[in-house]
Amino acid sequence: MYEEKDLSRRKFLKSGILAAGALAVGSSIFNTTKVVEAVETTPTPAPCDSNCEIPSFPYPYAHLDAEKAKLDGYAGYGKSKCSYGAFEAIIGQLGDKVGYPYTMVPTQVLGWGGTGGGGWATLCGALIGAATAINYTMEKKDADKVVSELFGWYCDHSFPEFAPAAGKALEYDGVMEKSVAGSPLCHVSVSNWCDASGLKAESKARSERCARVTADVAAKTVELLNQFHSKTFKAVYKNESVEDCMMCHGKGHSLENTRGLMDCDQCHTNVEPDNLVEHIKRSWDIKD
Amino acid sequence: MYEEKDLSRRKFLKSGILAAGALAVGSSIFNTTKVVEAVETTPTPAPCDSNCEIPSFPYPYAHLDAEKAKLDGYAGYGKSKCSYGAFEAIIGQLGDKVGYPYTMVPTQVLGWGGTGGGGWATLCGALIGAATAINYTMEKKDADKVVSELFGWYCDHSFPEFAPAAGKALEYDGVMEKSVAGSPLCHVSVSNWCDASGLKAESKARSERCARVTADVAAKTVELLNQFHSKTFKAVYKNESVEDCMMCHGKGHSLENTRGLMDCDQCHTNVEPDNLVEHIKRSWDIKD
C-alpha cells in the first residue's frame, strides 16, 4: 500500500519536470499567461476529479491496534455517536496505516446509524458502522461471515468492558453496570441495560454506556479483521434456540416462512423452549 | 457540481500544454528517456493519492430521477442484493449527474447489509443502503429526519409496487403479492410477505419480491432527497401506538426505560391496545 505514496512522489517529480519544461519554452511556443498559470497551479493539491483512477475494491488492509480502536471509538462517539464512532475507529486507523484510499472516505456518512438508525433503535449503530468498515476490506461473501460473527459476539457478550482513564469519562463517571444485549438491536440492547442498571434510557449514564460499547465493538471488529486478514478467522457463533426453530421455519424445511438469526423467543414469547413441544403439537394439530 | 468536471477538463488541457512543452525542450535541456516516460504517463488517469484534496462533506446534490432509481435499484439487487442495490441506485445516479466525488465511492461496501446484515435479518438491507446514500448528501441531524421518514414509509406502505417489463423479471415472473412490512426489520418484512403470499422465505419469488422492494425503496429515497434539497421536505410519519407507550417508557417520562420507533405490540404481545388499561393497572398495582 505504501507504493501509492511512492508513486505520488514520482508523479510530483514528473509534474515539476513538465512545469519547468513548459516554463522554459513558454516565451517561444506558448502564451506566457497560460504557462505561468500552469506553473503556479502545479504544487497545489488537486481535487481527485473524474480524471482519477477509481481505487480497486476491496481496499488493502494493514494489521490494526485494538487498543487504539477502543480509544478512537470512544472519542468518535463523543463527536457523532455510535455508528460514526465505530466506523471512524476502523477507517481512521486504516487511513493512518494504509493511507489512500481510506483517506478519501468521509466517515461522517455513517452518522445516520446513531440510535439504531434515525432514532428507530433498530440495528445497534456501532454494528452498522463496524460492519461497513469490515466490508471496505473484503468482498460481501466474506464480510457476511465476519459481520455475522460480530453480531453473535454482540448478543452474548457482557459489556461495556472499556473504561476511560480516571477523570476522562465523556458524560458519566459513576459505576457502569454491564449487561448482555441478547440482540443486535439497539432497542433491546438499551432496554436490557436499563433493566440491569436501573438507570434511564436517555440519561448521561446510558450515553456513556453506549460510548463504551462503541469502544468494545470497535476493538472486537479489529480482532476479527486481524484474524480474517491473517487467515486465522473461524466463525464460532451458534444460536441453538434459533436453530431449533429453523428446523421447521428455516431454509429447506417444512414451513420456510422466515429468516434471520435473532433470538426467536425474545419476541415469540408463546414459543419458549419449555413449551416447544406444545407449540409443535398445536401447529400440527397433534392430539395427546 | 458541474464545475468539478469543467475544472478537470482545464487541468487536462494544462497537462497537455506541459507535456508538449516538456517534449519540445526534451532534446535540449532534459534526458530524452525521462521526457518520453513523462509524455507516456501524462494521459494515464492518476490514482487519487494522499496529495489529493479531501472532498468536503456533505457531497453536492443534484435532482434525481425516481424512475431511473427504480430500475437501477432492481438491477443492483440482481448484482449484489438489496443493500448494495439501493445504495448503488442513488450513489450511481449521483455519480452520473454530479460526477466526482460520488465517482470515488465503492458502492460494494454496502453489500454486508443484504439479508438484513450478514444473514441476521435485522434492519432491511435496502434501508441500510438508502440511509447511507442519504447521509452522503446532508449532515447527520438532517439525515436522521429523512431516514426516520423513510423507515416510517417502509413500515406502512404496501409493496412491492415496482414491476419489471414483461419477460424482464430477475428471478420470478408470477403474480407478486403485496404486503405491509409493519417494521423496518427484514425478519418481519419477509415473514409478513410469506404470510400474505403463502410463498417461501428463500424462494425465487421472495428474492424477486425483495428486488422489487429495493426498487421501491430507492425511488422513495429519491423522492425524499429531492424534497429535502429543494426545501420542501416535511416529516409526516407518526406511530400513535408507539407514542402511547412512550408516554410512560419514553424520554422524560416516568419509566424512560427504552427507546425507538418500532411498533411495540408487534413483540410485546401482552400490551395490545385493547388491554393497555389493564397493563397500566398491573404496572402501577391499581385495583378496580
Side-chain angles (χ1 to χ4, degrees):
Chain A
M1 52 249 175
Y2 292 104
E3 282 171 17
E4 290 286 5
K5 288 184 176 171
D6 296 336
L7 175 63
S8 78
R9 280 190 290 273
R10 284 199 302 275
K11 273 175 55 231
F12 250 173
L13 274 173
K14 281 173 198 153
S15 326
I17 292 163
L18 296 174
L23 183 60
V25 298
S27 54
S28 59
I29 60 169
F30 291 111
N31 165 317
T32 311
T33 319
K34 270 188 189 157
V35 174
V36 172
E37 183 194 352
V39 173
E40 282 172 352
T41 55
T42 305
T44 311
C48 301
D49 57 32
S50 53
N51 293 323
C52 278
E53 198 176 80
I54 305 298
S56 64
F57 178 85
Y59 288 2
Y61 186 74
H63 187 92
L64 298 182
D65 177 344
E67 288 306 309
K68 177 169 170 38
K70 275 186 196 170
L71 296 170
D72 293 349
Y74 185 70
Y77 182 96
K79 284 184 197 157
S80 191
K81 304 303 173 190
C82 53
S83 185
Y84 165 83
F87 189 56
E88 169 62 25
I90 312 297
I91 298 297
Q93 195 177 154
L94 283 165
D96 295 341
K97 294 197 169 188
V98 177
Y100 169 83
Y102 291 105
T103 48
M104 302 296 291
V105 177
T107 49
Q108 306 98 309
V109 299
L110 264 292
W112 72 269
T115 324
W120 277 68
T122 66
L123 180 56
C124 166
L127 294 176
I128 293 172
T132 309
I134 287 167
N135 207 160
Y136 266 92
T137 75
M138 64 188 79
E139 299 287 354
K140 171 178 167 51
K141 69 179 195 317
D142 297 317
D144 284 346
K145 295 181 191 126
V146 178
V147 165
S148 178
E149 195 65 13
L150 178 66
F151 285 15
W153 166 84
Y154 182 97
C155 289
D156 293 349
H157 196 68
S158 180
F159 52 54
E161 280 189 324
F162 173 79
K168 299 287 185 188
L170 281 171
E171 300 195 51
Y172 175 85
D173 219 346
V175 173
M176 181 57 63
E177 193 74 34
K178 288 183 185 179
S179 60
V180 174
S183 169
L185 302 183
C186 167
H187 169 76
V188 183
S189 181
V190 165
S191 302
N192 284 353
W193 179 82
C194 290
D195 284 348
S197 66
L199 298 172
K200 293 196 163 185
E202 304 302 339
S203 62
K204 285 183 176 296
R206 198 278 312 150
S207 186
E208 178 71 25
R209 174 262 182 186
C210 289
R212 298 180 186 193
V213 169
T214 301
D216 291 343
V217 167
K220 182 65 185 182
T221 304
V222 162
E223 179 191 320
L224 294 172
L225 281 170
N226 286 343
Q227 287 171 1
F228 177 84
H229 291 288
S230 62
K231 301 188 165 37
T232 60
F233 170 77
K234 193 171 180 304
V236 294
Y237 178 74
K238 280 177 75 70
N239 184 323
E240 288 176 358
S241 156
V242 171
E243 285 174 0
D244 287 347
C245 298
M246 291 301 183
M247 284 173 63
C248 291
H249 295 277
K251 185 175 186 177
H253 298 291
S254 55
L255 300 174
E256 198 185 291
N257 59 352
T258 194
R259 66 197 326 207
L261 286 165
M262 290 188 287
D263 210 30
C264 307
D265 54 25
Q266 212 164 48
C267 291
H268 300 279
T269 49
N270 61 334
V271 197
E272 287 154 358
D274 61 7
N275 69 17
L276 191 58
V277 171
E278 270 311 304
H279 164 70
I280 293 166
K281 284 162 72 179
R282 275 202 312 277
S283 307
W284 294 92
D285 196 24
I286 299 165
K287 307 279 181 246
D288 289 320
Chain B
M1 47 254 176
Y2 291 104
E3 283 172 17
E4 290 287 3
K5 286 184 175 174
D6 295 338
L7 175 63
S8 76
R9 279 192 289 273
R10 283 199 301 278
K11 280 178 56 245
F12 243 0
L13 273 174
K14 281 174 199 154
S15 324
I17 292 163
L18 297 174
L23 183 61
V25 298
S27 55
S28 60
I29 61 169
F30 291 111
N31 165 316
T32 311
T33 321
K34 268 192 190 153
V35 174
V36 171
E37 182 196 349
V39 172
E40 281 172 351
T41 55
T42 304
T44 310
C48 300
D49 56 34
S50 53
N51 293 320
C52 279
E53 203 174 75
I54 305 299
S56 64
F57 179 84
Y59 288 2
Y61 186 75
H63 187 92
L64 299 183
D65 177 343
E67 288 307 308
K68 178 169 169 38
K70 275 186 196 169
L71 297 170
D72 294 348
Y74 185 71
Y77 182 95
K79 285 184 197 158
S80 192
K81 303 303 173 191
C82 53
S83 185
Y84 166 83
F87 189 56
E88 170 61 26
I90 312 295
I91 298 298
Q93 196 177 154
L94 283 165
D96 296 341
K97 294 198 169 187
V98 176
Y100 169 84
Y102 292 104
T103 48
M104 301 297 291
V105 178
T107 50
Q108 306 97 308
V109 299
L110 264 293
W112 73 268
T115 324
W120 276 68
T122 67
L123 180 57
C124 165
L127 294 176
I128 294 172
T132 309
I134 286 167
N135 208 160
Y136 266 91
T137 75
M138 63 188 78
E139 299 286 354
K140 170 178 167 51
K141 68 179 197 316
D142 297 317
D144 284 345
K145 296 182 189 121
V146 177
V147 165
S148 179
E149 195 65 14
L150 178 67
F151 285 14
W153 165 85
Y154 182 98
C155 289
D156 294 348
H157 196 68
S158 180
F159 51 54
E161 279 188 327
F162 173 79
K168 301 286 186 189
L170 281 171
E171 300 195 50
Y172 174 84
D173 219 346
V175 173
M176 180 55 64
E177 194 73 35
K178 288 184 185 179
S179 60
V180 173
S183 169
L185 302 182
C186 167
H187 170 77
V188 183
S189 182
V190 165
S191 302
N192 284 354
W193 179 82
C194 290
D195 285 349
S197 66
L199 297 172
K200 293 195 164 185
E202 304 302 338
S203 62
K204 285 182 177 294
R206 197 278 312 150
S207 186
E208 178 71 25
R209 174 262 183 188
C210 290
R212 297 180 186 193
V213 169
T214 302
D216 291 343
V217 167
K220 181 66 185 182
T221 304
V222 163
E223 180 192 319
L224 294 173
L225 281 170
N226 286 342
Q227 286 171 2
F228 178 84
H229 291 287
S230 61
K231 302 189 164 37
T232 60
F233 170 77
K234 193 171 181 304
V236 294
Y237 177 75
K238 279 177 75 73
N239 184 323
E240 288 177 359
S241 156
V242 171
E243 286 174 359
D244 287 347
C245 299
M246 291 303 183
M247 285 173 62
C248 292
H249 296 276
K251 185 175 185 177
H253 297 291
S254 55
L255 300 174
E256 198 185 291
N257 59 353
T258 194
R259 66 196 328 206
L261 286 165
M262 290 188 287
D263 209 29
C264 308
D265 53 25
Q266 212 164 48
C267 291
H268 300 280
T269 49
N270 61 334
V271 196
E272 289 153 359
D274 62 6
N275 68 17
L276 190 58
V277 171
E278 270 310 305
H279 164 71
I280 293 166
K281 284 162 72 180
R282 276 202 311 276
S283 306
W284 293 93
D285 197 24
I286 298 165
K287 307 279 179 247
D288 289 321

